[in-house]
Amino acid sequence: MLTLHVEVSAPDTGTVLSSETSVKQPRYLTNAFSLNMLEDCASASISVQRIGLAEARKLSATTESIIGHADTARVVSRELGREVPARRATVTLSAGTSCLIAQYRGPRLPEGATELPEGSELAWLMLTVDELTS
């Protein structure tokens, strides 16, 4: 049985939802997280922290894109102000690995989209795999 512990914190609210305070340099830039991305384990502890666009732009500079859909990659590129390639890849996250997540919220992206549709947003999240236990 896999036990997953998730901590979340929100920026600029004064409310701390997590004990995690520092942001680690992410290895990957993605638009989604799946439990299937975790190294095989019996339990896992991850931290998720919402960050602002300015911080996401700085952190994304050295990340490897694992955004699998071209339309999503184009929208993320526009938001970050740099080219983000679409790249379908399977990755395995081990303890200590971080990902910058561009979580799309809104209606389905229209085919060929290059910007966010009205009423949608990208929520920028930092995910860190704190611990994996066999």
Side-chain angles (χ1 to χ4, degrees), residues 106-129:
R108 188 166 182 82
L109 278 176
E111 189 72 31
T114 59
E115 58 186 45
L116 290 170
E118 189 173 331
S120 64
E121 69 168 339
L122 285 178
W124 294 97
L125 306 162
M126 275 295 302
L127 178 137
T128 302
V129 179

Side-chain angles (χ1 to χ4, degrees), residues 34-78:
S34 167
L35 294 175
N36 199 40
M37 294 166 77
L38 293 175
E39 195 171 79
D40 190 28
C41 61
S43 67
S45 178
I46 64 171
S47 299
V48 180
Q49 180 180 6
R50 189 162 182 168
I51 62 172
L53 177 57
E55 189 167 9
R57 284 181 174 148
K58 283 187 262 184
L59 291 170
S60 74
T62 60
T63 57
E64 179 182 343
S65 174
I66 56 170
I67 295 175
H69 297 282
D71 292 341
T72 305
R74 280 192 294 272
V75 170
V76 171
S77 293
R78 183 177 179 101

Side-chain angles (χ1 to χ4, degrees):
M1 180 172 143
L2 174 67
T3 304
L4 181 67
H5 173 75
V6 179
E7 296 179 347
V8 179
S9 62
D12 307 325
T13 63
T15 304
V16 176
L17 305 173
S18 169
S19 60
E20 187 71 27
T21 56
S22 62
V23 175
K24 182 179 175 177
Q25 180 60 41
R27 178 168 179 190
Y28 298 108
L29 170 61
T30 185
N31 62 303
F33 169 73
S34 167
L35 294 175
N36 199 40
M37 294 166 77
L38 293 175
E39 195 171 79
D40 190 28
C41 61
S43 67
S45 178
I46 64 171
S47 299
V48 180
Q49 180 180 6
R50 189 162 182 168
I51 62 172
L53 177 57
E55 189 167 9
R57 284 181 174 148
K58 283 187 262 184
L59 291 170
S60 74
T62 60
T63 57
E64 179 182 343
S65 174
I66 56 170
I67 295 175
H69 297 282
D71 292 341
T72 305
R74 280 192 294 272
V75 170
V76 171
S77 293
R78 183 177 179 101
E79 291 290 301
L80 292 176
R82 71 169 188 89
E83 183 65 29
V84 174
R87 182 173 164 257
R88 286 185 175 263
T90 300
V91 298
T92 301
L93 305 178
S94 56
T97 307
S98 293
C99 295
L100 175 60
I101 302 173
Q103 181 66 59
Y104 176 75
R105 295 185 178 160
R108 188 166 182 82
L109 278 176
E111 189 72 31
T114 59
E115 58 186 45
L116 290 170
E118 189 173 331
S120 64
E121 69 168 339
L122 285 178
W124 294 97
L125 306 162
M126 275 295 302
L127 178 137
T128 302
V129 179
D130 297 316
E131 183 179 15
L132 298 172
T133 308
S134 298

